[in-house]
Coordinates of all heavy atoms in Angstrom, one line a residue:
I314 N -13.8 17.9 -17.7 CA -12.4 18.1 -17.7 C -11.9 18.4 -16.3 O -11.0 17.7 -15.8 CB -11.9 19.1 -18.7 CG1 -12.2 18.6 -20.1 CG2 -10.4 19.3 -18.6 CD1 -11.9 19.6 -21.2
L315 N -12.4 19.5 -15.7 CA -11.8 19.9 -14.4 C -12.2 18.9 -13.3 O -11.3 18.6 -12.5 CB -12.4 21.3 -14.1 CG -11.9 22.0 -12.8 CD1 -10.4 22.1 -12.9 CD2 -12.5 23.3 -12.6
P316 N -13.4 18.4 -13.2 CA -13.7 17.4 -12.1 C -12.8 16.2 -12.3 O -12.3 15.7 -11.2 CB -15.1 17.0 -12.4 CG -15.7 18.2 -13.0 CD -14.7 18.8 -13.9
Q317 N -12.6 15.7 -13.5 CA -11.7 14.5 -13.7 C -10.3 14.9 -13.4 O -9.5 14.1 -12.8 CB -11.8 14.0 -15.1 CG -11.1 12.7 -15.3 CD -11.6 11.5 -14.5 OE1 -12.8 11.3 -14.5 NE2 -10.8 10.9 -13.8
F318 N -9.8 16.1 -13.7 CA -8.5 16.5 -13.4 C -8.2 16.6 -11.9 O -7.2 16.1 -11.4 CB -8.2 17.9 -14.0 CG -6.8 18.4 -13.7 CD1 -5.7 17.9 -14.5 CD2 -6.5 19.3 -12.7 CE1 -4.4 18.4 -14.3 CE2 -5.3 19.7 -12.5 CZ -4.2 19.3 -13.3
K319 N -9.3 17.0 -11.2 CA -9.2 17.0 -9.7 C -9.0 15.6 -9.1 O -8.2 15.4 -8.2 CB -10.3 17.7 -9.1 CG -10.4 19.2 -9.3 CD -11.6 19.9 -8.7 CE -11.7 21.4 -8.9 NZ -12.9 22.0 -8.4
V320 N -9.8 14.7 -9.7 CA -9.7 13.3 -9.2 C -8.3 12.7 -9.5 O -7.7 12.1 -8.6 CB -10.8 12.4 -9.9 CG1 -10.6 11.0 -9.6 CG2 -12.2 12.8 -9.4
Q321 N -7.9 13.0 -10.7 CA -6.5 12.5 -11.1 C -5.4 13.1 -10.2 O -4.5 12.4 -9.8 CB -6.2 12.8 -12.5 CG -7.2 12.2 -13.6 CD -7.1 10.7 -13.5 OE1 -8.2 10.0 -13.2 NE2 -6.0 10.1 -13.8
L322 N -5.6 14.4 -9.9 CA -4.6 15.1 -9.1 C -4.6 14.5 -7.7 O -3.5 14.3 -7.1 CB -4.9 16.5 -9.0 CG -3.9 17.5 -8.3 CD1 -2.5 17.4 -9.0 CD2 -4.4 18.9 -8.2
F323 N -5.7 14.2 -7.2 CA -5.8 13.6 -5.8 C -5.1 12.2 -5.8 O -4.3 11.9 -4.9 CB -7.2 13.4 -5.4 CG -7.4 12.8 -4.0 CD1 -7.2 13.5 -2.8 CD2 -7.7 11.4 -3.9 CE1 -7.3 12.9 -1.6 CE2 -7.9 10.9 -2.7 CZ -7.7 11.6 -1.5
A324 N -5.4 11.4 -6.8 CA -4.8 10.0 -6.9 C -3.3 10.1 -7.1 O -2.5 9.3 -6.5 CB -5.4 9.3 -8.1
V325 N -2.8 11.0 -7.9 CA -1.4 11.2 -8.1 C -0.7 11.6 -6.8 O 0.4 11.1 -6.4 CB -1.1 12.3 -9.2 CG1 0.4 12.7 -9.2 CG2 -1.5 11.7 -10.6
G326 N -1.4 12.5 -6.0 CA -0.8 12.9 -4.7 C -0.7 11.8 -3.8 O 0.2 11.7 -3.0
I327 N -1.8 11.0 -3.7 CA -1.8 9.8 -2.8 C -0.7 8.8 -3.2 O 0.1 8.4 -2.3 CB -3.2 9.1 -2.9 CG1 -4.3 9.9 -2.2 CG2 -3.1 7.7 -2.2 CD1 -4.1 10.0 -0.8
A328 N -0.5 8.6 -4.5 CA 0.6 7.6 -4.9 C 1.9 8.2 -4.5 O 2.8 7.4 -4.1 CB 0.4 7.4 -6.4
I329 N 2.1 9.5 -4.8 CA 3.4 10.0 -4.4 C 3.7 10.0 -3.0 O 4.8 9.6 -2.5 CB 3.5 11.5 -4.9 CG1 3.5 11.6 -6.5 CG2 4.7 12.2 -4.4 CD1 3.4 12.9 -7.0
G330 N 2.7 10.5 -2.1 CA 3.0 10.5 -0.7 C 3.2 9.2 -0.1 O 4.0 9.0 0.7
Y331 N 2.3 8.3 -0.5 CA 2.4 6.9 0.1 C 3.6 6.2 -0.3 O 4.3 5.6 0.6 CB 1.1 6.1 -0.3 CG 1.1 4.7 0.3 CD1 0.8 4.5 1.7 CD2 1.4 3.6 -0.4 CE1 0.7 3.4 2.3 CE2 1.4 2.3 0.2 CZ 1.1 2.2 1.5 OH 1.1 1.0 2.1
A332 N 4.0 6.2 -1.6 CA 5.2 5.5 -2.0 C 6.4 6.1 -1.4 O 7.4 5.4 -0.9 CB 5.3 5.6 -3.5
A333 N 6.5 7.4 -1.3 CA 7.7 8.1 -0.7 C 7.8 7.7 0.8 O 8.9 7.4 1.3 CB 7.6 9.6 -0.9
A334 N 6.7 7.8 1.5 CA 6.7 7.6 3.0 C 7.2 6.1 3.3 O 8.1 5.9 4.1 CB 5.4 7.9 3.6
V335 N 6.6 5.2 2.6 CA 6.9 3.8 2.9 C 8.3 3.5 2.5 O 9.1 2.7 3.1 CB 5.9 2.8 2.3 CG1 6.3 1.4 2.6 CG2 4.5 3.1 2.8
T336 N 8.7 4.0 1.4 CA 10.1 3.8 0.9 C 11.2 4.3 1.8 O 12.2 3.6 2.1 CB 10.3 4.4 -0.5 OG1 9.3 3.8 -1.4 CG2 11.7 4.1 -1.0
I337 N 11.0 5.4 2.3 CA 12.0 6.0 3.2 C 12.1 5.2 4.5 O 13.2 5.0 5.1 CB 11.8 7.5 3.6 CG1 13.0 8.1 4.3 CG2 10.5 7.7 4.3 CD1 14.2 8.2 3.5
V338 N 11.0 4.7 5.0 CA 11.0 3.8 6.2 C 11.7 2.5 5.9 O 12.5 2.0 6.7 CB 9.5 3.6 6.7 CG1 9.5 2.5 7.8 CG2 8.9 4.9 7.2
L339 N 11.3 1.9 4.8 CA 12.0 0.7 4.4 C 13.5 0.8 4.2 O 14.3 0.0 4.7 CB 11.4 0.1 3.1 CG 9.9 -0.5 3.2 CD1 9.5 -0.9 1.8 CD2 9.8 -1.6 4.2
A340 N 13.9 1.8 3.5 CA 15.4 2.1 3.3 C 16.1 2.3 4.6 O 17.2 1.8 4.8 CB 15.5 3.3 2.4
T341 N 15.5 3.0 5.5 CA 16.2 3.2 6.8 C 16.3 1.9 7.6 O 17.4 1.7 8.1 CB 15.3 4.2 7.6 OG1 15.2 5.4 6.9 CG2 16.0 4.6 8.9
L342 N 15.2 1.2 7.6 CA 15.3 -0.1 8.4 C 16.3 -1.1 7.7 O 17.1 -1.7 8.5 CB 13.9 -0.7 8.5 CG 12.9 0.0 9.3 CD1 11.5 -0.6 9.2 CD2 13.3 0.1 10.8
I343 N 16.3 -1.2 6.5 CA 17.2 -2.2 5.8 C 18.6 -1.7 5.9 O 19.5 -2.6 6.1 CB 16.8 -2.4 4.3 CG1 15.4 -3.0 4.2 CG2 17.8 -3.1 3.5 CD1 14.8 -3.1 2.8
E344 N 18.8 -0.4 5.8 CA 20.2 0.1 6.0 C 20.8 -0.2 7.4 O 21.9 -0.6 7.6 CB 20.2 1.6 5.8 CG 21.5 2.3 6.0 CD 22.6 1.8 5.1 OE1 22.3 1.4 3.9 OE2 23.8 1.9 5.4
K345 N 19.9 -0.2 8.4 CA 20.3 -0.5 9.8 C 20.5 -2.0 10.0 O 21.4 -2.4 10.7 CB 19.3 0.1 10.8 CG 19.4 1.6 10.9 CD 18.4 2.1 11.9 CE 18.5 3.6 12.0 NZ 17.5 4.2 13.0
L346 N 19.6 -2.8 9.3 CA 19.7 -4.2 9.5 C 20.8 -4.9 8.8 O 21.6 -5.7 9.4 CB 18.4 -4.8 9.0 CG 17.2 -4.6 10.0 CD1 15.9 -5.1 9.3 CD2 17.3 -5.3 11.3
V347 N 21.0 -4.6 7.5 CA 22.0 -5.4 6.7 C 22.9 -4.5 5.9 O 23.9 -5.0 5.3 CB 21.3 -6.4 5.8 CG1 20.5 -7.4 6.6 CG2 20.4 -5.7 4.8
G348 N 22.6 -3.2 5.8 CA 23.4 -2.3 5.0 C 22.9 -2.3 3.6 O 23.1 -3.2 2.8
L349 N 22.3 -1.2 3.2 CA 21.7 -1.1 1.8 C 22.8 -0.7 0.8 O 22.9 -1.2 -0.3 CB 20.5 -0.2 1.8 CG 19.7 0.0 0.5 CD1 19.2 -1.4 0.1 CD2 18.6 1.0 0.7
R350 N 23.6 0.3 1.2 CA 24.6 0.8 0.3 C 25.9 -0.1 0.3 O 26.3 -0.6 1.3 CB 25.0 2.2 0.7 CG 26.2 2.8 0.1 CD 25.8 3.5 -1.3 NE 27.0 3.9 -2.0 CZ 27.2 5.1 -2.5 NH1 26.4 6.1 -2.2 NH2 28.3 5.4 -3.2
A351 N 26.3 -0.4 -0.9 CA 27.6 -1.1 -1.0 C 28.8 -0.4 -0.4 O 28.7 0.9 -0.4 CB 27.9 -1.5 -2.4
S352 N 29.8 -1.1 0.1 CA 30.9 -0.4 0.7 C 31.8 0.1 -0.5 O 31.6 -0.2 -1.6 CB 31.8 -1.4 1.5 OG 32.3 -2.4 0.6
E353 N 32.7 1.0 -0.1 CA 33.6 1.6 -1.1 C 34.4 0.6 -1.9 O 34.5 0.6 -3.1 CB 34.6 2.6 -0.4 CG 33.9 3.8 0.1 CD 34.9 4.8 0.6 OE1 36.2 4.6 0.4 OE2 34.5 5.9 1.1
D354 N 34.9 -0.5 -1.2 CA 35.6 -1.5 -1.9 C 34.7 -2.3 -2.8 O 35.2 -2.6 -3.9 CB 36.2 -2.5 -0.8 CG 37.4 -1.9 0.0 OD1 37.9 -0.8 -0.6 OD2 37.7 -2.4 1.0
E355 N 33.5 -2.6 -2.3 CA 32.6 -3.3 -3.2 C 32.2 -2.5 -4.5 O 32.1 -3.0 -5.6 CB 31.3 -3.6 -2.4 CG 31.5 -4.7 -1.4 CD 30.3 -4.9 -0.5 OE1 29.5 -3.9 -0.3 OE2 30.1 -6.0 0.1
E356 N 32.0 -1.2 -4.3 CA 31.7 -0.4 -5.3 C 32.8 -0.2 -6.4 O 32.6 -0.2 -7.6 CB 31.2 1.0 -4.9 CG 30.6 1.9 -5.9 CD 30.0 3.2 -5.4 OE1 29.7 3.2 -4.2 OE2 29.9 4.2 -6.2
L357 N 34.0 -0.1 -5.8 CA 35.2 0.0 -6.7 C 35.4 -1.2 -7.5 O 35.7 -1.2 -8.7 CB 36.4 0.4 -5.9 CG 36.6 1.8 -5.4 CD1 37.7 1.9 -4.4 CD2 36.7 2.8 -6.6
A358 N 35.2 -2.4 -6.9 CA 35.4 -3.6 -7.6 C 34.3 -3.9 -8.6 O 34.5 -4.5 -9.6 CB 35.4 -4.8 -6.6
G359 N 33.1 -3.3 -8.4 CA 32.0 -3.5 -9.3 C 31.0 -4.5 -8.7 O 31.5 -5.5 -8.0
L360 N 29.8 -4.3 -9.0 CA 28.8 -5.2 -8.4 C 28.9 -6.6 -9.0 O 28.5 -7.6 -8.3 CB 27.4 -4.6 -8.6 CG 27.1 -3.3 -8.0 CD1 25.6 -3.0 -8.2 CD2 27.4 -3.2 -6.5
D361 N 29.3 -6.7 -10.2 CA 29.4 -8.1 -10.8 C 30.3 -9.0 -10.0 O 29.9 -10.1 -9.6 CB 30.0 -8.0 -12.2 CG 29.0 -7.3 -13.2 OD1 28.0 -6.8 -12.8 OD2 29.4 -7.1 -14.4

């Protein structure tokens, strides 16, 4: 139980750290390139 829990904990930590790091880099780059967040007018009108 404990050895397997340690393996699982390590894998969970890797998944969390890697996904978070790459996502923040991608979000920052895309926001600068094309704008990720909709404008106020677009949001008020609705995405549809």
Side-chain angles (χ1 to χ4, degrees):
I314 295 176
L315 186 58
Q317 187 63 51
F318 181 81
K319 289 180 179 178
V320 171
Q321 298 299 116
L322 184 62
F323 179 80
V325 167
I327 289 291
I329 291 173
Y331 183 75
V335 178
T336 299
I337 191 64
V338 171
L339 288 177
T341 302
L342 291 175
I343 294 172
E344 177 64 29
K345 290 182 178 179
L346 287 173
V347 297
L349 185 58
R350 171 85 190 232
S352 68
E353 290 188 5
D354 289 342
E355 289 172 331
E356 190 174 336
L357 284 171
L360 301 187
D361 292 4

